[in-house]
Amino acid sequence: MANYTAQDVKKLREETDAPMMECKSALEESEGDFARAKEILREKGKAQAGKKAGRATGAGVAAFAVGNGSVAGVVLETETDFVSRNEGFVALAQKAADALLADANADLSPFVVEAVASFRENAALGKTARKDGAEVVSIYVHHDKTKAAAVLGEGDAEALRQVAIHAVAFPPAVVSKDQLSQEMLEREIEIETQRAMNEGKPENIAKNIAQGRVNKEYIKAVVLTEQPFYKDPSKSVGQWLQETAKGTKITDFIYLGLGLGEAQ
């Protein structure tokens, strides 16, 4: 005679999101011990994670947690939009971000295991990041939750949130020009010099053209404060901040998106 009821099966499914038959099997194996049944499902989830590893994770969600001048961001990836749009999956990504905010050295792998166990698709941890010591942190998560940005700084929080919206639309590499390494600039000049020579320009002229292109195109593409602001492209982000929220300063940022790799 079974040591569990149909209500126990229903409750276990609600608490774990595991398929009904697996919940029933776990309760049978645990002889009706509800806590042990949950452990069994978690253990099976780890096995499922191993079986599904290697399958492409082209969908997912980005989540941020903010508190006491710190911000932690996590991308939790899965195979399909069907799963990534699930409220439970979104909540799991948020729990992972909360855990990273609470502990900079938190082990986030259990959230991946839980995602596989609950949603029966491969899951993976994408980019994770944490920044500390900010006066103000403003975040923006795109409506589909596949990308997000946090901007750290001083001054007007709403102005910094507008910059976060901009950063989601036009992901930068650095905040200011002085953060570009000489190596990065030299590599771009080399690329642009070759491009100009391929267009038929002599080498000495090509080098001048390359320098101009790097200043006009590359820097405006990768430096946040130099990018044309999304609300008014006639002004750079830095100019817009100076005019709209004088004294507001950007000190750092985090950009999250799918396919950006693991922790940074």
Side-chain angles (χ1 to χ4, degrees):
M1 184 174 177
N3 295 321
Y4 60 88
T5 65
Q7 283 300 111
D8 292 329
V9 177
K10 183 174 181 290
K11 181 181 177 185
L12 187 58
R13 174 168 169 72
E14 289 173 350
E15 292 190 12
T16 65
D17 281 329
M20 191 73 76
M21 291 308 296
E22 289 191 22
C23 291
K24 186 172 181 290
S25 176
L27 283 165
E28 287 177 355
E29 186 176 338
S30 70
E31 298 182 344
D33 185 326
F34 196 83
R36 175 59 187 148
K38 291 180 76 171
E39 289 178 8
I40 289 169
L41 288 174
R42 282 197 296 271
E43 289 163 4
K44 288 184 177 179
K46 291 178 183 178
Q48 288 286 339
K51 291 177 183 178
K52 296 177 185 295
R55 284 163 42 170
T57 53
V61 297
F64 277 117
V66 180
N68 299 319
S70 296
V71 57
V74 168
V75 175
L76 187 62
E77 298 179 349
T78 187
E79 295 179 44
T80 66
D81 290 339
F82 178 77
V83 168
S84 68
R85 289 195 296 264
N86 183 285
E87 289 183 5
F89 187 85
V90 173
L92 194 58
Q94 187 60 56
K95 286 179 182 178
D98 292 342
L100 187 59
L101 180 67
D103 179 0
N105 299 310
D107 177 11
L108 301 182
S109 61
F111 296 101
V112 176
V113 172
E114 186 175 343
V116 175
S118 297
F119 302 102
R120 296 315 195 252
E121 288 190 357
N122 188 25
L125 199 60
K127 179 177 177 180
T128 67
R130 176 180 164 138
K131 304 279 187 178
D132 301 297
E135 178 184 299
V136 177
V137 179
S138 291
I139 65 171
Y140 173 73
V141 180
H142 195 55
H143 64 85
D144 64 3
K145 296 182 172 60
T146 61
K147 49 193 174 182
V151 175
L152 293 74
E154 303 167 3
D156 189 320
E158 176 54 29
L160 291 176
R161 193 183 79 86
Q162 292 299 318
V163 176
I165 294 172
H166 170 94
V168 166
F170 306 100
V174 296
V175 173
S176 56
K177 285 191 291 186
D178 59 4
Q179 293 176 337
L180 289 172
S181 70
Q182 192 60 36
E183 182 182 352
M184 291 171 68
L185 291 171
E186 287 175 358
R187 183 175 67 247
E188 288 301 316
I189 288 172
E190 184 179 331
I191 290 170
E192 291 297 342
T193 298
Q194 188 60 53
R195 174 184 163 194
M197 290 174 66
N198 291 343
E199 292 168 352
K201 303 296 190 295
E203 185 175 355
N204 61 327
I205 295 176
K207 286 183 178 178
N208 290 333
I209 292 172
Q211 186 65 61
R213 283 176 173 170
V214 167
N215 290 336
K216 185 177 181 180
E217 299 173 13
Y218 177 69
I219 289 176
K220 287 187 177 181
V222 302
V223 178
L224 178 55
T225 54
E226 301 294 325
Q227 290 177 325
F229 186 53
Y230 86 102
K231 277 191 167 183
D232 183 356
S234 70
K235 299 174 183 176
S236 69
V237 170
Q239 289 171 331
W240 179 83
L241 272 181
Q242 181 67 17
E243 294 176 11
T244 306
K246 193 169 183 178
T248 298
K249 179 182 177 183
I250 304 167
T251 56
D252 211 340
F253 73 95
I254 298 171
Y255 172 76
L256 299 178
L258 299 179
L260 295 180
E262 297 183 355
Q264 293 187 5

